[in-house]
Amino acid sequence: MKARVYVTLKKSVFDPQGKTIHDALRSMGYSSVVDVRQGKFFEVELEGADEPSARARVTEMADRLLANPVTEDYLVEVERA
């Protein structure tokens, strides 16, 4: 079973890389871009797990290692078998 974890900075945390990308896109003529937030993506493959237990394990991994709960939010998606 595969799970995906999307980690982004919390809205209250300044994102200098996102700001740089935003400014570059606007200078390239993409004037409709209002904001850019950058983040991290993890794909975790688990053996022998059903969907609820896979979600619980990957959520635990995100809480403990993949995301910093002080500055980051995350979203876990589990691919249905």
Side-chain angles (χ1 to χ4, degrees):
M1 178 154 301
K2 284 188 183 177
R4 293 175 189 85
V5 182
Y6 303 91
V7 180
T8 57
L9 289 171
K10 292 183 176 192
K11 288 289 186 185
S12 60
V13 176
F14 178 65
D15 182 355
Q17 187 173 3
K19 175 72 170 130
T20 299
I21 294 166
H22 170 261
D23 293 346
L25 289 169
R26 297 214 21 128
S27 73
M28 294 170 70
Y30 299 102
S31 59
S32 63
V33 175
V34 176
D35 191 24
V36 175
R37 304 287 290 176
Q38 64 87 31
K40 300 179 277 189
F41 168 76
F42 299 94
E43 188 170 270
V44 180
E45 191 163 346
L46 301 168
E47 248 180 9
D50 59 18
E51 187 177 339
S53 62
R55 181 176 302 281
R57 289 297 284 165
V58 174
T59 298
E60 180 181 324
M61 293 174 200
D63 283 336
R64 296 183 66 195
L65 178 67
L66 303 178
N68 177 345
V70 174
T71 60
E72 297 173 319
D73 290 323
Y74 64 86
L75 170 70
V76 173
E77 291 181 349
V78 177
E79 188 176 282
R80 297 172 195 251

